[in-house]
Structures are given as structure tokens and as C-alpha cells.
Amino acid sequence: MDYSLREIVSSYNDQEPLDHAYTIPAAWYVDDRIAELERQTVFGRTWQVVARADQLQRPGQFVTAELAGEPIVVVRDGNNQLRAFYNVCRHHAAAVVTEDEGTASIFRCPYHGWSYGLDGSLKGAPEFEGVCSFDRSRNGLVPVRAESWERFVFVNLDPQATLLADFLGGLGQRVAPLNLASVHFFERRSYSLNCNWKVFVDNYLDGGYHVPHLHKALNSVLQYKQYTIENEDRYCLQSSPMVASDVDAATSATRTGDRAWYFWQYPNFMINLYAGYMDTNLVLPDGVDRCTVVFDFYFDDVSDSAAERNRQSILVGERVNDEDVGICESVQRGLHSRAYGAGRLSVRREAGEHLFHRLLAADLKAALWKISNAR
Ligand code: FES
Ligand SMILES: [Fe+2]
């Protein structure tokens, strides 16, 4: 039987308290129409991380990205102002900036040579004399909103969106004492997974539920029973006291400190902190059945003498991630099964997932309501 998009979205009850709640239905993870609705409403309307602040520190530095299928360029302009544009030439739509990142004083389109200033204004259009009613001032790159917070640069495709600080809500205050400025970017690694992006987010937000079963080495340095889960605004903080352990030497050497801090900000960004260590995860959908997770690793010491230790630390993270990838792909296969519709949530552990599902449902329901009102 074929259900309509409206039926699929409304089959999740986002009003139930945690002890009554179900997960979002399996169809939300496997139906192309949900993925398309998310592209337009979740990724097309929320603040999304597109770069690290250290990539956009000096005038002329730029980064290109793709967000919700849109090519974007973010740049620090000549007046030190952060700007973002659709990376689409106003002449015949070619990508103006073709490198992933770099420094420029002007953007020149590789197709017919139109050039744009770092403020987006059209500076040059070769051989365009005699074109009637062509107003250069109306042919600059189309702007996108950009703001930065802590070590991260965000853009938002929705011109009506709230300020980034309002979107992040209490996260700013919660993160501030943890001094993210004390670590420095070391390396990026990206992983492709055969699962819907929400499977990875759910796995992250299960309050450590899977850690003793799936990540034995990591579990040995966490005090699982003391693990806390706090929801506020659009973020969830999962945190655990840490203990010394001799189960796995590499884990014990690289996952240290009093507490582990795991922040998730709706919809797809995570910040993980141990002493002298941070990694961030950005989860990007590649269609309904695939996603890419971008890990950026930061360390307190990124000098050559610490490189070996840092690589060992990344390997520890990769092993945990390998374990997560295997289970996420298994979950995606299960979500396609006729045997599964939706599951219940652990009250002790899975409040973060519940928050995620309710925020997502609110966005999808609001979008459908908008669409039907526009008809
Ligand atoms: S498409 Fe850019 S100059 Fe023609
Ligand atoms: Fe995990």
C-alpha cells in the first residue's frame, strides 16, 4: 500500500512524553519524499556548518561547500566581513569558484571570465557592451546569510531565519566554559555510510546505550552508570565521568580528563571533547540511503612532536567509528524490513533521540502546513 507524504509525516506523534513515545517511523528513513522534504526544510532552513573559522581568518580566504544541493562560497572580504554567496555565475550559471578553499582578491568565472568582488559585486563582464537594460549592480553573486560561532562558520539558505545565536540557544553558554579555543585543527577524515543520515544521529543520541555492547574499549574509560543526558533548546549534551582503565592502552592514553562531553546541535552537528582533544562530526545526507560524516580532529598540541600521539588518537576514534558504521548500516537494512515499523525509547538513555525526532517532526509538519496553505 502506498501512503501519501502527509500520511507518513503525520504517523509520528510528537506530543507523546518520552515514556510513551515511539521513534519516528521507518518510512522516514527510507522514503525519497521524506529526504526531499528534509532537503528543502531541514537543510534548506536551519543554520548549517560549512567551514572552520580557521579557514576564513584573513581577508580573501574562501571555502566552497554544497548545502542542500546548492553550491555555496563563503569568504572573508576586504573589510574583514564574513560573507556567503550562491556559487553560481549570474551569466550562465557556471560555478564561479572551483577550488575547495584558498585565498583570492577577486572571483573570476572560468567559463566566460565574468569577475566578482569579495563582496559579491559584479566587477567585470567581458564583451558585454551594447546589451540592453543590463544593470551590473543587479548582477552580483546572490548572497546567503553567514555567521560564525566558536570555531565554526555557519550559513543559512533561509533569508527569514533567526539569528544563529537564537538558533543555538543555550548551547553557547554551555560550551563557553569548555574553552574550545584551546585546541587546534589537525586533520579531516570523511566517511561514507550506507544509511540514512538520521540513523547516524540516532546512534549518537542513544545516551551511551550502545557503548558497553559495541565499544568495549571506549566503555572501559567511561563511568557508564553516571552518564548524563540533558536536553535544552535544539541541543543535547551527553556527558560521562571518566575512569582509568587498562583494557585498551591506546584508548586510555588518548581519552583522558575528568569528563567526556558530547554535544549534538540539531540537526546534524556534533562536538566531542576530552582533555586536550576535540572532534566534530557533520552528518550530510547523500540521498535517502547514504550519508557522509565529516570528522575534524583538533588537539591541544599540533606540533610535529605530538603528531604520532595525535594519529594514535585518531585511530582510536576511527575504531569507534568503524563499530558505529557497521551497526548503522545494519539498522538501515532493518528499517527496510516489513518486520519493523517504529521502536520504543529507553527513558533512562534515549531522551536525546526523542528531542531529535520531535524537532524534526516539527520542521516537517510546519513545512507541509506551509505547502498546503500556499495552494
Ligand atoms: S557562466 Fe560565468 S562567465 Fe559565463
Ligand atoms: Fe557509537
Side-chain angles (χ1 to χ4, degrees):
M1 181 146 145
D2 270 349
Y3 292 99
S4 71
L5 179 59
R6 190 165 301 275
E7 285 168 326
I8 292 171
V9 169
S10 57
S11 65
Y12 175 68
N13 182 352
D14 58 356
Q15 301 303 312
E16 296 277 32
L18 179 55
D19 58 351
H20 282 62
Y22 280 80
T23 63
I24 48 176
W28 289 32
Y29 299 85
V30 299
D31 193 300
D32 284 319
R33 293 168 297 174
I34 292 280
E36 176 56 22
L37 189 62
E38 287 172 350
R39 189 180 71 76
Q40 292 171 19
T41 65
V42 178
F43 295 93
R45 293 207 191 126
T46 58
W47 285 97
Q48 288 286 310
V49 173
V50 289
R52 300 185 311 273
D54 63 76
Q55 294 174 291
L56 293 158
Q57 256 169 347
R58 293 184 299 282
Q61 283 190 302
F62 66 83
V63 173
T64 56
E66 193 185 295
L67 169 54
E70 295 285 356
I72 303 291
V73 57
V74 193
V75 63
R76 176 80 53 192
D77 78 7
N79 295 323
N80 241 339
Q81 194 181 329
L82 193 62
R83 293 180 183 268
F85 307 97
Y86 289 93
N87 185 18
V88 178
C89 186
R90 296 299 300 277
H91 179 226
H92 287 178
V96 175
V97 186
T98 52
E99 296 154 279
D100 292 342
E101 62 180 310
T103 305
S105 52
I106 200 155
F107 294 137
R108 194 176 307 280
C109 179
Y111 199 177
H112 311 96
W114 283 29
S115 55
Y116 301 88
L118 302 181
D119 61 357
S121 60
L122 180 63
K123 295 289 190 208
E127 302 179 72
F128 237 58
E129 297 76 23
V131 178
C132 280
S133 311
F134 178 69
D135 183 351
R136 279 173 188 244
S137 70
R138 297 173 64 90
N139 278 275
L141 293 173
V142 176
V144 172
R145 289 178 58 191
E147 286 190 53
S148 64
W149 169 72
E150 291 280 354
R151 314 294 300 274
F152 317 109
V153 175
F154 294 70
V155 301
N156 195 319
L157 298 179
D158 179 5
Q160 316 296 336
T162 59
L163 296 172
L164 175 61
D166 293 337
F167 178 74
L168 297 176
L171 181 71
Q173 268 196 338
R174 198 73 209 241
V175 163
L178 298 172
N179 192 18
L180 303 196
S182 66
V183 287
H184 313 285
F185 175 70
F186 181 71
E187 196 173 304
R188 167 169 293 189
R189 297 200 183 186
S190 296
Y191 306 92
S192 264
L193 279 68
N194 289 310
C195 70
N196 184 274
W197 69 280
K198 299 188 293 294
V199 172
F200 189 91
V201 175
D202 287 344
N203 174 64
Y204 184 89
L205 287 175
D206 75 2
Y209 202 3
H210 71 277
V211 173
H213 308 283
L214 202 60
H215 307 309
K216 298 227 167 6
L218 176 62
N219 188 55
S220 68
V221 296
L222 299 178
Q223 270 191 308
Y224 179 74
K225 284 202 162 57
Q226 310 301 322
Y227 202 107
T228 56
I229 299 118
E230 297 166 73
N231 288 337
E232 188 190 3
D233 298 328
R234 295 182 184 84
Y235 80 92
C236 175
L237 166 60
Q238 303 172 93
S239 182
S240 173
M242 302 194 68
V243 287
S245 160
D246 53 11
V247 169
D248 181 75
T251 302
S252 301
T254 58
R255 300 292 180 268
T256 60
D258 297 337
R259 284 198 89 84
W261 304 87
Y262 308 129
F263 291 93
W264 164 79
Q265 169 67 35
Y266 177 78
N268 62 335
F269 186 59
M270 296 90 159
I271 304 169
N272 306 302
L273 301 166
Y274 302 98
Y277 171 103
M278 170 168 81
D279 72 71
T280 62
N281 318 142
L282 183 65
V283 192
L284 301 167
D286 300 321
V288 75
D289 261 342
R290 288 184 66 78
C291 64
T292 299
V293 187
V294 182
F295 278 66
D296 279 346
F297 293 93
Y298 299 69
F299 298 98
D300 52 353
D301 183 354
V302 290
S303 65
D304 287 349
S305 61
E308 192 47 47
R309 181 204 68 165
N310 295 346
R311 275 195 202 98
Q312 187 192 34
S313 179
I314 290 174
L315 282 178
V316 167
E318 278 204 320
R319 193 169 73 196
V320 172
N321 190 50
D322 284 347
E323 292 159 351
D324 283 326
V325 169
I327 208 73
C328 285
E329 294 187 343
S330 158
V331 166
Q332 185 70 19
R333 289 189 292 275
L335 289 166
H336 279 278
S337 168
R338 68 186 73 180
Y340 188 84
R344 298 298 300 273
L345 295 165
S346 160
V347 172
R348 165 68 181 94
R349 293 281 165 187
E350 297 183 292
E353 274 180 83
H354 190 220
L355 174 66
F356 173 39
H357 295 171
R358 283 177 294 148
L359 290 169
L360 181 71
D363 274 356
L364 297 190
K365 286 180 182 183
L368 279 184
W369 186 81
K370 243 186 194 164
I371 291 167
S372 57
N373 269 22
R375 279 194 186 126

